[in-house]
Amino acid sequence: MGEKPKRLHIGLTGSILIALGLGLLCGVIFHYLVPAGTVRDDVFVNGIFYVVGQGFIRLMQMLVVPLVFCSIVCGASSIGDTKTLGTIGLKTLAFYLCTTALAVTVALSIGNLINPGRGVDMSSMVASDTSTLSGSANTDVSFTDTLLNIIPKNPIQALASGDMLAIIFFALFVGIILSTMGRKVEVVHRFFEQFNDIMMKMTSMVMYVAPIGVFCLLARTFANIGFDAFLPMVKYMLGVLLALAVQCLVVYMVLLTVFARINPMKFLKKFVSVMMFAFSTATSNATIPLNIETLEKKMGVDRRISSFTIPLGATINMDGTSIMQGVAVVFTAQLFGVQLGPVEYATVIATATLASIGTAGVPSVGLITLSMVFNSVGLPLEGIALIMGIDRILDMTRTAVNITGDAVCTTIVAKRAGRMDTDVFNDPDAGRELDDVKAA
């Protein structure tokens, strides 16, 4: 008897891509071929598509506050290990946060330069929700008040109302205290870790219905405006890729030259294999072992440094993810006609930077924290549906940028601390065995 043919397995990413294509096709058919009337407009476009799509949006909203709070508490509590490295740990934390803030700034600048969401007005599609969602963006609040509002008067009220900057501040505070108290609060620490596991499991369950949600949201979008929404999606992709290239090939290389005084081209040549591995897996966590080995054997970085900074970076340093969020903010704001000013952009930079602390190093988790960034400046979450279908390619690219940022920071910190062997770095044959193992 012959072997049974293997069943074709389509993963979540493939399902979402198929849903993207089918939703686009269905929406175009409804827009151009189905005559307007009760069946098209009331039953499908503003009935089934709207209810199911908004149901998926609400599921994502349901996850945001508990997921972000627990993940940031757990991420901050793990920072207690910085005591083992003293000032090196503090410098690493400061460097990670600064490069993430710089990455968001680059993304917002490029987003406003190419204007990915201009030319299409989708504000009428969320007219009933936008007035509520964009309230914080249209309110005239001074920058000093925005800074003060980061500190919550009532943390429970902040959690209930979804005040993201205040939630992040309180979560960081709790996590840092847990890390300093150690074994005294082991039960509480374990509670947050277990509750975080529950939220991650819940996120996975919600993502199982993502293809249905994406299909309905995109079908309704294209049923209303036809092909007009296609060009902004392409411009959004190009904007994210351009911002990622600037961060990786310009910002990081300048930092290496200025702070480490090493040849950035040599660094890229030795590190490219790790970047390709990260691109193929789309997960920072899976790249940690190879990253540490490469830094030690090819760059000459002390393993005692890299074994601390690389896992920490995989937890809190998500420059590529922050870039996606920055471009997505500009894209969605322009698409739905929400005006953002300097205060809102400063809020995006702060929120995306702090949110990176709680972003797990697994594929596409940045889409969940993106909804938190949108909430912080009052953007409608419908924009995420357009982004979700094309996110996998961008996710692979930004993961490569994420792990490159970790390595650049580690190299700079090690060099300035006298924990880097420059002879190994300058040796073109150093670490050759890593490439041989990979080739085998």
Side-chain angles (χ1 to χ4, degrees):
M1 295 178 64
E3 292 184 1
K4 291 183 179 180
K6 293 183 178 180
R7 296 177 62 183
L8 179 63
H9 176 70
I10 301 175
L12 179 61
T13 300
S15 299
I16 291 177
L17 286 173
I18 292 172
L20 168 71
L22 292 177
L24 191 155
L25 179 63
C26 180
V28 169
I29 291 174
F30 269 72
H31 182 79
Y32 293 106
L33 300 179
V34 179
T38 302
V39 174
R40 191 194 80 169
D41 298 328
D42 296 336
V43 175
F44 284 96
V45 177
N46 296 317
I48 296 173
F49 294 159
Y50 177 75
V51 171
V52 176
Q54 288 302 309
F56 174 64
I57 292 286
R58 284 175 178 263
L59 283 173
M60 292 185 64
Q61 289 174 316
M62 175 186 73
L63 294 172
V64 172
V65 170
L67 175 65
V68 169
F69 181 76
C70 290
S71 60
I72 289 181
V73 168
C74 293
S77 63
S78 68
I79 296 174
D81 293 337
T82 56
K83 294 177 181 178
T84 60
L85 290 178
T87 56
I88 291 177
L90 294 176
K91 287 179 181 178
T92 302
L93 288 173
F95 192 94
Y96 280 154
L97 292 176
C98 288
T99 55
T100 301
L102 190 58
V104 185
T105 304
V106 168
L108 292 174
S109 301
I110 290 179
N112 280 289
L113 181 66
I114 67 173
N115 296 319
R118 288 279 167 83
V120 179
D121 183 11
M122 296 175 62
S123 58
S124 59
M125 293 181 58
V126 289
S128 60
D129 297 329
T130 304
S131 60
T132 301
L133 287 168
S134 61
S136 61
N138 295 328
T139 303
D140 187 15
V141 180
S142 67
F143 184 69
T144 53
D145 288 337
T146 301
L147 288 177
L148 287 173
N149 288 338
I150 294 175
I151 304 174
K153 295 179 181 178
N154 184 342
I156 305 303
Q157 183 181 11
L159 289 165
S161 61
D163 188 352
M164 285 303 161
L165 285 177
I167 291 170
I168 291 173
F169 178 87
F170 186 66
L172 282 171
F173 211 156
V174 173
I176 291 171
I177 290 174
L178 286 176
S179 71
T180 57
M181 295 184 70
R183 296 178 64 88
K184 294 180 181 178
V185 289
E186 189 174 345
V187 174
V188 179
H189 192 186
R190 192 160 57 246
F191 165 78
F192 279 111
E193 288 183 335
Q194 292 175 346
F195 196 81
N196 188 53
D197 291 340
I198 291 173
M199 292 311 304
M200 293 303 295
K201 178 64 175 178
M202 192 179 296
T203 300
S204 299
M205 293 175 68
V206 170
M207 292 305 291
Y208 278 125
V209 300
I212 300 173
V214 167
F215 171 82
C216 290
L217 287 165
L218 289 182
R220 182 170 183 263
T221 297
F222 283 92
N224 278 293
I225 61 177
F227 276 118
D228 291 342
F230 187 73
L231 181 59
M233 291 171 62
V234 174
K235 291 175 69 178
Y236 163 76
M237 283 188 67
L238 293 176
V240 173
L241 292 173
L242 177 60
L244 290 171
V246 169
Q247 181 75 7
C248 188
L249 303 178
V250 178
V251 175
Y252 289 157
M253 299 305 104
V254 169
L255 291 174
L256 279 173
T257 303
V258 172
F259 292 105
R261 303 292 182 184
I262 61 175
N263 188 331
M265 293 300 104
K266 284 185 180 179
F267 177 90
L268 277 180
K269 185 177 180 180
K270 291 186 170 219
F271 197 71
V272 67
S273 59
V274 186
M275 296 172 68
M276 294 305 298
F277 182 80
F279 180 85
S280 63
T281 61
T283 164
S284 300
N285 288 342
T287 317
I288 289 175
L290 180 60
N291 206 343
I292 293 174
E293 287 289 320
T294 300
L295 286 170
E296 180 187 16
K297 296 181 178 179
K298 289 188 176 184
M299 313 290 189
V301 172
D302 190 330
R303 194 181 187 92
R304 288 174 294 178
I305 300 290
S306 60
S307 62
F308 166 75
T309 58
I310 295 301
L312 182 64
T315 303
I316 72 170
N317 187 45
M318 297 290 176
D319 294 353
T321 301
S322 299
I323 283 173
M324 177 273 289
Q325 293 172 346
V327 178
V329 163
V330 178
F331 169 69
T332 305
Q334 293 176 348
L335 208 60
F336 290 93
V338 179
Q339 297 297 320
L340 301 179
V343 173
E344 286 73 45
Y345 284 129
T347 301
V348 170
I349 293 172
T351 306
T353 301
L354 294 174
S356 69
I357 294 174
T359 302
V362 295
S364 298
V365 75
L367 289 172
I368 300 298
T369 53
L370 177 61
S371 59
M372 178 194 67
V373 177
F374 276 20
N375 283 337
S376 71
V377 289
L379 291 177
L381 299 185
E382 281 80 357
I384 297 178
L386 294 172
I387 294 167
M388 187 175 289
I390 55 177
D391 184 67
R392 180 62 177 180
I393 297 173
L394 300 178
D395 189 27
M396 296 164 72
T397 309
R398 65 177 181 257
T399 301
V401 174
N402 285 341
I403 59 97
T404 304
D406 299 343
V408 167
C409 172
T410 300
T411 303
I412 291 173
V413 169
K415 180 68 162 55
R416 297 185 70 85
R419 303 281 190 90
M420 178 178 174
D421 189 342
T422 53
D423 291 336
V424 173
F425 178 81
N426 291 321
D427 183 0
D429 294 323
R432 181 82 66 177
E433 66 273 13
L434 289 178
D435 297 325
D436 293 339
V437 170
K438 189 176 180 183

